[in-house]
Amino acid sequence: FFESKMTAATVSLGHKYCCLDQEHPDSKFIGANIPWYGPKHSPHDVPSFYDISGITENPKAFKLVIDYFVARYKAAGAEGPTHIAGFDARGFVFGPPIAMALGIPFVMIRKAGKLPGVLVTAGQYVTEYSKDEIVVRLGSVKKGDRVVLIDDLIATGGTALAGFDLVDALGASVYEFAAMIALPFCGGVDKIRAHRDGRFKDVSIFTMVDDKAIGPEMCRDPPEGTPRCVSTSEAEALASKLDL
């Protein structure tokens, strides 16, 4: 299989906030495998919706991303994380392979109404898209655990902060918040630092690429008039037309 060398250094972006060197070939390779779409072909009305399927559908890129996360946490040794917790739903893509490689549990942070059993909630929170509520299974995170919170990106920080509050309320600590993509102009990192009078100001934050590494050439909007969704009987003809 592919072998990742993971030679990109981390660059400090502020107090306990770092990312991969954006000029390194690995960072550029990751960014070059993240397409984005405008509002007409996105699930939300945002200028650019980043599509992580560009990573998951490229085994080399996917493995590189996972290997960087795994190497980061393995390097911490016995003082590293005890749990990886992923946000519903794209955190479920990156979290499980990281947790398996580290030999530690993966915890699903799900939206309300999705998990069975007895659950714990942190209450409702506001994101850039909507108002939501997250829950975990009672007993999945306990006092003394060191938890990495992982998602595909950080924007306004609403979802991240809900995870911080939930883990903190259960007596565990957030070891790090990690995301593949950062949108610095949304101010999410600053909101984490300011939240609850700076309670999480010293928690590590790590991202791989920022939106500047994903250029306009990665826009994959189809020609004007292309339907948003087609039937299976129409799929082959449209894929041929769009050269997919």
Side-chain angles (χ1 to χ4, degrees):
F1 201 60
F2 304 104
E3 182 175 354
S4 306
K5 296 188 182 297
M6 297 171 295
T7 57
T10 57
V11 176
S12 175
L13 300 176
H15 176 62
K16 290 198 171 182
Y17 174 28
C18 65
C19 71
L20 293 184
D21 177 3
Q22 299 298 283
E23 296 303 314
H24 191 277
D26 285 352
S27 302
K28 292 184 176 181
F29 177 70
I30 293 168
N33 279 279
I34 305 174
W36 61 268
Y37 295 85
K40 289 184 179 179
H41 288 271
S42 299
H44 299 288
D45 186 16
V46 294
S48 303
F49 188 92
Y50 297 96
D51 182 12
I52 63 166
S53 66
I55 296 293
T56 62
E57 293 174 9
N58 181 327
K60 185 176 181 180
F62 198 9
K63 186 175 188 299
L64 182 64
V65 168
I66 298 304
D67 284 353
Y68 265 107
F69 281 122
V70 170
R72 179 172 178 81
Y73 302 129
K74 273 189 175 180
E79 300 303 314
T82 61
H83 293 66
I84 305 292
F87 290 97
D88 190 349
R90 289 181 286 276
F92 297 173
V93 173
F94 300 105
I98 297 169
M100 282 194 296
L102 295 172
I104 60 178
F106 173 73
V107 177
M108 292 187 291
I109 303 176
R110 297 225 64 181
K111 293 178 181 177
K114 301 292 186 180
L115 277 176
V118 181
L119 311 175
V120 184
T121 177
Q124 290 191 330
Y125 65 97
V126 177
T127 74
E128 59 271 31
Y129 305 135
S130 62
K131 183 179 288 186
D132 283 313
E133 180 182 2
I134 58 171
V135 299
V136 293
R137 184 184 59 78
L138 181 65
S140 61
V141 175
K142 299 177 181 178
K143 185 176 181 179
D145 290 341
R146 300 184 299 275
V147 183
V148 169
L149 295 173
I150 191 162
D151 210 350
D152 62 328
L153 62 78
I154 178 169
T156 62
T159 302
L161 285 174
F164 272 81
D165 284 341
L166 183 54
V167 168
D168 183 61
L170 290 170
S173 61
V174 178
Y175 178 86
E176 181 167 87
F177 176 81
M180 190 177 66
I181 306 167
L183 308 182
F185 66 91
C186 291
V189 173
D190 291 337
K191 289 179 183 177
I192 290 172
R193 296 301 188 220
H195 187 60
R196 291 171 57 190
D197 297 322
R199 183 170 181 82
F200 306 116
K201 62 182 176 63
D202 293 324
V203 174
S204 177
I205 297 174
F206 172 68
T207 57
M208 287 203 170
V209 297
D210 64 35
D211 58 326
K212 293 179 182 176
I214 309 168
E217 72 279 1
M218 293 306 297
C219 178
R220 293 296 182 266
D221 282 348
E224 189 69 29
T226 302
R228 178 81 167 87
C229 188
V230 297
S231 67
T232 53
S233 62
E234 300 170 298
E236 184 176 0
L238 183 58
S240 177
K241 180 180 178 180
L242 297 177
D243 194 25
L244 298 176

